[in-house]
Amino acid sequence: MKAAAGIAILGALFAEAAPTDHRRDVDTRFPYLGPAVPIGDWVDPTINGNGKGFPRLVEAPAVRPAHAKPKNNINVIQLSYVPGGINIHYQTPFGLGVAPTVHWGSHAHKLHHTSYGATNTYDRTPPCSEVAVTQCSQFFHNVQIANLKPDTTYYYQIPAANGTTESQVLSFRTGRAAGDKTAFTMAVLNDMGYTNAGGTYVQLQKAVEEGLSFAWHGGDISYADDWYSGILPCASDWPVCYNGSSTYVPRPNGTGPPDVPVDDPSYLDPLPAGEMANQGGAYGGDMSVLYESNWDLWQNWMNKVTMKIPYMVMLGNHEAACAEFDGPGNPLTAYLNSNQTNSTAPETELTYYSCPPSQRNFTAYDNRFRMPGKESGGQGNFWYSYDYGLAHFIALDSETDFAKSPDYTFNRDLVGNETFPLENQTYVTDAGPFGYINGSETDNKAYEQYNWLKNDLASIDRTKTPWVIAMSHRPMYSSATSSYQKNIRNAWQALMLEAGVDAYLAGHIHWYERMYPLTANGTIDSASVVNNNTYTTNAGTSMTHLTNGMAGNVESHSVLPWNETLPITAYLDQTHYGFSKFAFLNSTVATWTMIRGVDGSVGDEVTMIKGGADAATGYGLKGRSSKWQHLGYN
């Protein structure tokens, strides 16, 4: 929906650029009526916690403060790619008083260059003035260093400002130029959060030390919106709660099934006194009961990765707002709409205005990262592309900005001659659009994201980047079928097939699922299946689909009843957590490997070869025995 006069702009102070005319900012036409700070723990409703309720967890900040009681600090440092350089994103609880600054150079002891950037902030709930300094980020600083040599190590330091402690001397390695034929490996992960992600976290750090080039996180990042799991009644159809016996953790601490692997050693430790073994985690609720603190917790935790390699992200459904739905008895409706704790409501009435203004419309996500949307002609952190050596990567927004997107724009709520919907016509996850809609909202071709994707695909030089990989949070196909999959296919599949995109990556469904190469009508392209673990590309005809939603998260695994996968599925793992490595070996061969968090072992692997059946013969793969022969496909 196009922005219109009368919408109040609250929260974001965009130092780099004001929102464009078509971009909807946070709408505050109706008042927020909930508690000043929603807390998902009615035993202990204090912000900092006193140990009587669920523990307030802590993770070390990026920079260790020089004093025991710092008044400001650098809590998070995250690297991301921009064409020809790097973006250094860092976070503090309070402003710097000066433009964010980075000293850098090609030697650790010769930081002769200085670059300056810009700061974003928003009115987070609660503000950092009420929370421990080293566990709170409210000012987000972006310093871009351009015109650097590709595939080169540089060193940098963030100076002290307004009470912060200067960082240690750190380093980054720039991306490889498009056309560089050197092999590289990247990490792909989705649906992580903090709970259940311990094994993934350990294996990801090992991969970084072994030379991982960068990581790509396809949405559902911190699971901040599950802060309310501590106050939801447990239900058999949705056992995501911290306060009942229907949830579990892996054995021996918990009551989980024997086949649930213990991928986090902390689950083997005795529980602290007074804590219950439940799906909250090893320590009985290892997730913050504050929305913003979940973001802070996860980002501080991930410093060991994000300070060392570029960490590229995209949005998922859990980044949209403070909540997705209500629980049994509708306790959130009573809490957020009427400030009634430990209560119920006759029916769920969560609206766009149920969340505090700072927890709507992807506000936290939009401020806490800096992706190359501007540099690639896309839209901020919402859709963008970048080159790295042999490959061109495309990040897409599967939550908004296409016809029948899962998160509604206000236009879809309108009735009759309304220009804006009434409060009760909205839903809590309404969001966007973040680009223009030039025509009918039901026409994908009217959307800026569609037209950007079309132009981006047309601009790819396949002589330099023969591999083209796209990812959004939600899959186009899965054994767990859903209506949104058809809508995503209608939005982008034809463009991708026509342009010869090699693979479409996704998460959202909390398992690992590898599908066979699929055609435009969802049938298997049997000519591209050499054997169970080898595919050939077939530009214009099919594309490989990989769902990788098993990095962790408090909601645990998705489950397919009776394990009845669709014929399109080559491999399904509903048990293990982990992530995947994508290795681009040369211009014709790439391998995708699923790494289990429990021990780093390989759970699944597929090799992709360019050039069709003749290429497979050249690699000695044609004719290998596979189940396809038994099914009559060879």
Side-chain angles (χ1 to χ4, degrees), residues 17-73:
T20 52
D21 289 341
H22 51 261
R23 177 169 172 167
R24 180 165 67 81
D25 210 317
V26 176
D27 186 355
T28 57
R29 290 177 300 128
F30 298 95
Y32 166 67
L33 300 175
V37 180
I39 298 177
D41 182 355
W42 290 332
V43 175
D44 174 16
T46 62
I47 291 175
N48 289 306
N50 59 16
K52 294 181 180 179
F54 297 103
R56 307 295 193 266
L57 301 171
V58 296
E59 290 289 346
V63 177
R64 182 177 180 178
H67 307 287
K69 295 183 178 181
K71 295 185 177 181
N72 206 0
N73 197 63

Side-chain angles (χ1 to χ4, degrees), residues 281-606:
Y283 301 112
D286 58 349
M287 184 173 181
S288 177
V289 293
L290 303 174
Y291 174 89
E292 294 285 359
S293 294
N294 277 315
W295 274 112
D296 298 332
L297 181 69
W298 186 87
Q299 289 196 291
N300 276 22
W301 188 47
M302 290 296 289
N303 276 320
K304 291 183 178 179
V305 175
T306 63
M307 292 171 65
K308 295 180 178 180
I309 60 171
Y311 200 90
M312 312 300 287
V313 298
M314 66 186 67
L315 76 165
N317 53 295
H318 282 279
E319 280 71 68
C322 78
E324 283 194 296
F325 48 80
D326 217 330
N330 307 310
L332 277 183
T333 293
Y335 190 34
L336 295 178
N337 289 1
S338 304
N339 197 13
Q340 297 177 0
T341 59
N342 202 15
S343 186
T344 60
E347 57 184 318
T348 180
E349 293 181 345
L350 292 181
T351 74
Y352 176 90
Y353 306 95
S354 295
C355 292
S358 64
Q359 298 176 16
R360 306 171 188 168
N361 203 40
F362 292 93
T363 294
Y365 168 81
D366 199 20
N367 281 270
R368 288 174 179 263
F369 302 97
R370 172 57 164 85
M371 297 297 108
K374 178 181 178 181
E375 292 78 11
S376 61
Q379 186 62 258
N381 296 332
F382 295 90
W383 54 89
Y384 60 87
S385 65
Y386 59 100
D387 294 324
Y388 189 99
L390 291 161
H392 180 78
F393 298 96
I394 301 170
L396 294 164
D397 170 4
S398 66
E399 305 310 302
T400 70
D401 289 79
F402 63 93
K404 299 183 180 179
S405 60
D407 292 345
Y408 278 35
T409 62
F410 278 7
N411 272 6
R412 292 171 67 184
D413 296 320
L414 298 180
V415 176
N417 295 323
E418 291 177 340
T419 56
F420 286 101
L422 299 176
E423 180 178 14
N424 62 3
Q425 292 171 333
T426 66
Y427 189 66
V428 65
T429 56
D430 283 359
F434 299 102
Y436 65 71
I437 304 176
N438 214 354
S440 170
E441 194 173 51
T442 61
D443 180 8
N444 277 303
K445 295 180 180 179
Y447 285 79
E448 182 176 347
Q449 183 171 207
Y450 173 94
N451 288 285
W452 171 83
L453 174 61
K454 181 179 180 179
N455 292 334
D456 187 78
L457 290 169
S459 69
I460 299 170
D461 184 348
R462 298 299 279 258
T463 64
K464 291 184 176 181
T465 56
W467 293 98
V468 179
I469 310 298
M471 179 157 66
S472 78
H473 178 61
R474 299 186 189 232
M476 291 188 189
Y477 297 95
S478 175
S479 287
T481 57
S482 180
S483 59
Y484 70 76
Q485 295 168 16
K486 179 180 179 181
N487 297 332
I488 293 175
R489 295 196 299 268
N490 289 341
W492 305 323
Q493 180 178 241
L495 285 178
M496 291 183 185
L497 286 173
E498 181 181 357
V501 171
D502 297 296
Y504 177 84
L505 316 180
H508 189 64
I509 301 171
H510 296 168
W511 62 34
Y512 173 85
E513 184 177 20
R514 170 167 59 88
M515 282 147 279
Y516 294 110
L518 301 176
T519 65
N521 61 8
T523 59
I524 298 170
D525 179 14
S526 58
S528 295
V529 181
V530 179
N531 58 50
N532 291 349
N533 299 96
T534 310
Y535 303 157
T536 58
T537 62
N538 193 353
T541 299
S542 65
M543 183 166 57
T544 296
H545 293 260
L546 298 154
T547 297
N548 197 52
M550 74 305 186
N553 83 72
V554 67
E555 295 177 1
S556 193
H557 284 99
S558 300
V559 177
L560 188 66
W562 307 291
N563 293 323
E564 292 181 353
T565 59
L566 295 177
I568 62 174
T569 300
Y571 184 88
L572 178 67
D573 187 332
Q574 306 171 78
T575 303
H576 292 91
Y577 297 110
F579 72 101
S580 293
K581 292 180 179 178
F582 211 161
F584 296 86
L585 305 181
N586 53 47
S587 60
T588 56
V589 180
T591 60
W592 170 275
T593 307
M594 189 267 270
I595 305 297
R596 291 171 174 166
V598 63
D599 56 9
S601 62
V602 173
D604 181 48
E605 188 170 57
V606 65

Side-chain angles (χ1 to χ4, degrees), residues 74-145:
I74 299 171
N75 292 333
V76 173
I77 299 175
Q78 182 193 24
L79 304 171
S80 60
Y81 287 126
V82 292
I86 203 82
N87 190 81
I88 299 171
H89 171 99
Y90 62 102
Q91 301 179 183
T92 58
F94 305 109
L96 300 175
V98 295
T101 305
V102 169
H103 303 309
W104 61 277
S106 55
H107 300 281
H109 302 293
K110 297 179 181 180
L111 307 180
H112 297 325
H113 304 281
T114 299
S115 293
Y116 303 95
T119 296
N120 300 336
T121 187
Y122 62 94
D123 293 333
R124 56 165 280 164
T125 308
C128 286
S129 59
E130 299 181 34
V131 183
V133 165
T134 56
Q135 286 291 300
C136 186
S137 292
Q138 191 169 349
F139 285 77
F140 311 96
H141 316 289
N142 299 295
V143 178
Q144 187 175 128
I145 306 175

